[in-house]
């Protein structure tokens, strides 16, 4: 317990030094890290083979084993990721607002790092590299907790990244790797030192983190995403988009889990889309009408994140019921409408209370890379701070800088002077 | 308990309707509210006289009695406030980012309301009017808890505001007033319905709220603000600014509580500034050197928010110790440096981890009105969401709106199509 607390205190001190690092130093550190990872490839692969061997003995499931594997291809991906991160705009020190309060009294709102960020991620060791480099680029110190299955790989990766970072001028204590569940629990109480937690993982796990800490949490517990099809839709377009939204990659948070159809479509479109979904290997769970029309099982609840070749289908009386259903049973993640009516599209997008609202395209687009952010920190369903797919801007805060020349408030409260409040272009 | 939960559920439903209100309807509702308050002046004053009578009988302290009083002057202030709020730019629906992802696939980041906001404030009934109107302008539903001393005044004000709002087209349930401490405790567990809490009040009270809820909290527990005087300072400027920062209004969060002086100033400036502070009625608490030089009591701790004619003075070895001291003992609120060195000013502003960092001016400037935000929601010491003085933008979130025309992700992952990611001016 006290160990983690000591590490966190050290990270806090390091974070103050990270805050003033020059962008060239940071980009050079990223370059050094990338080169050190490539140079240490054999050591990393060896540690990873050991992790994979143990996981195989313990009969880890195949998808997890696949995620655990760190080979030439994964190494190339993470070093390419670092190269592209180096080319991204410097996220710290950007002026967001400039106002002349009065002659010689200049106010700036400037981006600044958050401080110490705790990231808890699953089995993929490549996530460690990605997260560490994102935190470095945004001048934050970082606490990392990876999956137990990847322990040996993570240890080697963290050591290489930390050491080459320090050699390149990053402060001691800028990165810490923790390994046990007890350490995670200890971390949850360190709101004095840790400014933000980013948990990635299962619904239950993220929910556990969110419910057991006073540290702000960025992320999402679940992605119960909807596609609603309005009676005026283009049916070919609807079919194409729904198949993509459900089946293009089923195990991700932005895949559509519930299909809402206008009830007027129950004869003209429901059989057709059901056949297309079944052809794609999707099992359908319907409301009672859908179940009797299609001869499929009834859905037992509407807040279901399948992450699988399964979908819930419900008939709704129109856009209002669709919006209510989504706001009641959704998770505020990503929801789409298929319609030819601009008016309905706007109503849906304004009324559905989710991070991403889409018209006539696949929910699978809701992603930092596809949105053009260059790097993705995660997807947030919170409405405070960053929402939706989060790029580097989710890892920065801002501060106000006010430059004066002996200005005092008494002059303004007495009426001797008046504020000018001239907004400047930035 | 269940009562508050029912009210909160109703507020959530109302918040969905608030989200799509037209700006003219909202501004007209604000106008109607302002007129109804003026028309009901006698009823408000009568309720307030009763509150004041009871508070006087219970021997409430004079400053609190003064804050409790709601008379012609206060009424004029709040209706003027509403008039100026009407003229502010519409905070909802502003496009923050526009990117063409590909031909016909357009992404927008657009401001949206937060949802249901819970505000807990002290004895001032004018705060109720101000908060309710800010939430209305930003399309949020609101839960209000005022001070028990102002119960009768708040009840009348809330009733007038709620009813004239509903008459003007706001949804039922857009505003709720709660009155007891038990209700506040019930509210703290309603993270399902309430999206943001804004507590205003004493350090201990805000700390209590922050430690007992999973709802995000915006605000500050304390304001231990510092002014650091570098050895190269202009001494006349330093004296003028320090006197303002300490004495212009002592009971507010942005008043300077600790003065840090370069130790080289102990003969040349310490006696002079001590005399000026004492002339202004300020009691000095020093570190051991300061105490022996000035013959004043020693400060017993450095995280002291006096909110009074008292100040702590400490000698530091230079800018590094000053920065460390502030980052260790400060509250991340507002801190200033007095220096003629641009280099030192920049170092201080980049390294001090506070919402507002100032050079050569009074800490008292850190305030939403002085910063030109038109309206002030509060001052936040959190680094997530809004930081420093918070204007209307602290009451909004954003969402992504993506407009497509049958676009599917499979086309991009297969390489059939490539993203263009063209950033557009907004």
């Amino acid at each position: 317990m006290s160990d983690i607390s000591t590490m966190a205190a050290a990270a806090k001190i390091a974070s103050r030094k990270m805050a003033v690092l020059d962008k060239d130093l940071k980009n050079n550190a990223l370059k050094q890290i990338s080169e050190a990872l490539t140079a240490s490839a054999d050591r990393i692969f060896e540690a990873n083979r050991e992790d994979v061997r143990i996981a195989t003995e313990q009969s880890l499931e195949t998808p997890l084993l696949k995620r655990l594997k760190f080979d030439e291809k994964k190494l190339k991906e993470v070093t390419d990721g670092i190269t592209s991160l180096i080319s991204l705009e410097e996220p710290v020190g950007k002026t967001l607002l400039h106002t002349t309060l009065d002659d010689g009294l200049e106010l700036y709102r400037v981006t600044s790092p958050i401080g110490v960020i705790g990231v808890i991620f699953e089995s993929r060791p490549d996530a460690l590299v990605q997260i560490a480099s994102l935190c470095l680029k945004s001048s934050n110190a970082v606490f990392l907790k990876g999956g137990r299955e990847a322990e040996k790989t993570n240890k080697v990766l963290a050591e290489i990244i930390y050491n080459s970072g320090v050699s390149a001028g990053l402060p001691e204590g800028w990165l810490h790797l923790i390994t046990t569940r007890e350490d995670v629990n200890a971390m949850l109480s360190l709101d004095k030192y840790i400014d933000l937690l980013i948990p990635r993982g299962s619904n239950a796990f993220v929910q556990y983190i969110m419910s057991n800490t006073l540290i702000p949490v960025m992320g999402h517990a679940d992605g119960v995403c909807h596609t609603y099809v309005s009676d005026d839709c283009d049916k070919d377009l609807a079919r194409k988009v729904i198949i993509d939204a459900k089946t293009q990659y089923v195990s991700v948070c932005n895949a559509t889990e519930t299909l809402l159809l206008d009830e007027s479509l129950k004869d003209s479109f429901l059989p057709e889309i059901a056949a297309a979904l079944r052809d794609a290997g999707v099992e359908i769970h319907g409301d009672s009408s859908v179940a009797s029309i299609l001869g499929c099982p009834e859905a037992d609840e509407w807040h279901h994140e399948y992450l699988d070749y399964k979908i819930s289908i419900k008939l709704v009386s129109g856009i209002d019921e669709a919006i209510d259903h989504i706001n009641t049973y959704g998770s505020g993640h990503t929801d789409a409408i298929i319609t030819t009516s601009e008016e309905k599209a706007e109503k849906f997008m304004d009324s559905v209370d989710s991070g991403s609202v889409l018209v006539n395209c696949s929910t699978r687009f809701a992603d930092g890379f596809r949105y053009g952010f260059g790097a993705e920190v995660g997807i947030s369903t919170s409405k405070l701070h960053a929402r939706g797919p989060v790029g580097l801007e989710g890892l920065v805060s801002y501060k106000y800088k006010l430059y004066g020349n002996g200005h005092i408030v008494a002059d303004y409260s007495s009426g001797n002077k008046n504020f000018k409040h001239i907004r400047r272009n930035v």
Side-chain angles (χ1 to χ4, degrees), chain A residues 240-370:
Chain A
K240 189 172 83 161
V241 167
I242 292 163
I243 295 299
D244 189 83
K246 179 65 256 181
T247 69
Q248 198 270 330
Y249 193 0
V250 296
S251 63
V252 288
C253 59
N254 56 14
T256 286
E257 301 291 11
T258 302
L259 179 62
L260 300 174
L261 294 184
D262 256 16
E263 59 190 1
S264 63
L265 295 169
K266 78 176 171 197
D267 299 321
S268 57
F269 185 62
L270 174 60
E272 174 189 344
I273 187 66
L277 284 163
R278 283 167 169 170
D279 282 351
V282 178
E283 182 182 300
I284 298 170
H285 298 249
D287 65 12
S288 55
S289 308
V290 171
S292 77
I293 293 168
L294 300 181
C296 70
E298 279 199 34
D300 48 359
E301 57 135 333
W302 296 104
H303 185 78
H304 209 111
E305 186 180 22
Y306 294 108
L307 299 171
D308 202 350
Y309 283 89
K310 293 177 183 173
I311 196 166
S312 304
I313 304 185
K314 185 179 161 66
L315 299 178
V316 293
S317 57
I319 188 168
D320 290 321
E321 191 185 340
I323 292 167
D324 278 351
H325 180 96
I326 295 170
N327 284 337
T328 307
Y329 297 102
S331 52
H333 192 295
T334 300
D335 301 286
I337 180 172
I338 312 293
T339 182
T340 53
S341 155
E342 262 185 50
E343 197 190 330
K344 284 189 182 169
E346 287 308 321
K347 182 174 182 176
F348 182 90
M349 292 173 116
D350 286 338
S351 303
V352 168
D353 191 16
S354 297
S356 290
V357 282
L358 297 70
V359 55
N360 294 334
C361 56
S362 168
T363 53
R364 290 276 297 117
F365 280 107
D367 165 284
F369 292 98
R370 296 190 187 111

Side-chain angles (χ1 to χ4, degrees), chain A residues 55 58 63 68 84-85 146 150 203 209 213-214 221 227 229 249 266-267 303 311 346 364 416:
Chain A
Q58 293 173 347
L68 176 57
S84 98
L85 194 57
N203 183 334
I209 300 288
T213 184
L214 295 172
T227 297
V229 186
Y249 193 0
K266 78 176 171 197
D267 299 321
H303 185 78
I311 196 166
E346 287 308 321
R364 290 276 297 117
N416 273 351

